[in-house]
Amino acid sequence: MREQVYGEDIEPGDEIGPLLKHPDLAQVQKYLAAGRMGDGSGMSSRFTSDEAARREGLAGPIIPGPMSQAFLSQLLTDWCGPEGWVQSLEVNFRRSTRHGEPLKCIGLITDKQDQGDRTLVRLDVFIEDPRGDRPTQGVAEVLIPARRP
């Protein structure tokens, strides 16, 4: 069971994570099937085929952007606890993310605002690859409970 984080327990500058991910071909295939992204049209082949990815100028198959966003969403939902709520998550995809690479999902608290029985937390979130690049990054707002109303 996830622990509950409270507004009084955090401060701007605190880091959350890392959530470690190591997506491989089998995980990407399951993600595509669950999202019905592989409809036989070849649209998703750059995500699963080395040859198709290279035809598009990529070094190899890549992780679908929404899958990377889902990793960041998991980071936030795991962190905010059962009484927390991810209010918004906006990301941009700056580079492709390759299969088989270890990825770190990290959040940095930039602001918090008391709202009575809740605290609104603003964060910068990103995925860091083994080269130290941040192929996916964005901002999020999360509501977490306060200990005292």
Side-chain angles (χ1 to χ4, degrees):
M1 181 165 182
R2 299 179 298 165
E3 288 186 33
Q4 184 59 58
V5 63
Y6 295 94
E8 294 85 349
D9 300 336
I10 60 153
E11 292 297 330
D14 289 352
E15 189 173 292
I16 67 168
L19 171 67
L20 303 177
K21 292 291 187 177
H22 200 149
D24 60 19
L25 176 60
Q27 292 170 327
V28 170
Q29 289 172 328
K30 285 181 183 176
Y31 179 84
L32 293 171
R36 299 182 181 176
M37 296 174 74
D39 62 358
S41 69
M43 285 181 57
S44 61
S45 60
R46 68 181 156 174
F47 303 121
T48 56
S49 164
D50 191 56
E51 182 181 331
R54 290 185 193 279
R55 275 196 310 265
E56 293 186 33
L58 301 167
I62 61 172
I63 308 298
M67 188 173 180
S68 297
Q69 184 173 6
F71 294 158
L72 292 173
S73 181
Q74 181 185 356
L75 169 74
L76 296 168
T77 55
D78 286 354
W79 171 73
C80 72
E83 296 179 46
W85 181 259
V86 177
Q87 186 164 302
S88 67
L89 171 60
E90 297 177 22
V91 299
N92 55 60
F93 308 103
R94 297 184 171 238
R95 293 188 183 87
S96 300
T97 306
R98 299 181 211 160
H99 288 200
E101 292 190 331
L103 303 172
K104 288 186 208 174
C105 304
I106 298 171
L108 179 65
I109 297 170
T110 59
D111 190 28
K112 73 174 192 177
Q113 182 179 48
D114 292 333
Q115 297 185 339
D117 63 342
R118 298 267 174 194
T119 301
L120 175 64
V121 183
R122 292 184 177 88
L123 306 99
D124 290 339
V125 293
F126 58 90
I127 293 177
E128 185 175 281
D129 67 20
R131 291 168 295 285
D133 291 333
R134 295 179 178 180
T136 304
Q137 59 186 16
V139 294
E141 290 185 340
V142 178
L143 285 168
I144 57 174
R147 287 189 194 279
R148 54 177 165 32

